Amino acid sequence: MSVQPFLIAAAGLFSIGIYGILVRRNVVMVLLSIELILNAVNINFVVFDAMLRDAMLQGQIFTIFIITIVEICLSRMPSLSYAIKTTKFILSALKLN
């Protein structure tokens, strides 16, 4: 099994993610770009785990761990940003009165 196509795909995903972080100003797009970067890392973990034939499956375990952490963070982010916007709106309304 050749790992080169997988590494090229992971490098492409990583590059698109970095470009998205540097260019975008929208919070959602930046979060999607971060997820692209972490997916590139996950591809590398799984490819090298398969290439080295690791008996403990450490690459796959790290991949599942990263996916779990990313999904937890992304599920909490919209509610956090909404709470910050609401707090700023309430504080600005209190300053006007």
Side-chain angles (χ1 to χ4, degrees):
M1 174 175 81
S2 176
V3 298
Q4 187 176 8
F6 297 108
L7 295 179
I8 291 172
L13 280 176
F14 189 83
S15 301
I16 293 170
I18 292 294
Y19 176 77
I21 288 175
L22 294 176
V23 173
R24 304 291 181 183
R25 295 191 184 270
N26 188 359
V27 175
V28 175
M29 294 304 289
V30 170
L31 289 174
L32 287 174
S33 299
I34 291 171
E35 190 169 356
L36 280 176
I37 291 172
L38 291 174
N39 283 332
V41 171
N42 288 338
I43 289 172
N44 285 332
F45 276 141
V46 171
V47 165
F48 284 116
D49 182 54
M51 184 182 76
L52 298 174
R53 292 177 173 69
D54 186 18
M56 295 177 57
L57 301 174
Q58 291 176 348
Q60 294 178 13
I61 291 171
F62 277 125
T63 299
I64 292 172
F65 181 72
I66 289 172
I67 290 171
T68 305
I69 296 299
V70 167
E71 293 305 320
I72 289 171
C73 292
L74 290 179
S75 68
R76 301 285 186 228
M77 191 56 67
S79 61
L80 180 64
S81 64
Y82 178 74
I84 291 171
K85 287 180 184 178
T86 306
T87 305
K88 286 181 181 179
F89 177 74
I90 291 172
L91 290 177
S92 66
L94 290 175
K95 287 180 183 178
L96 292 176
N97 292 332

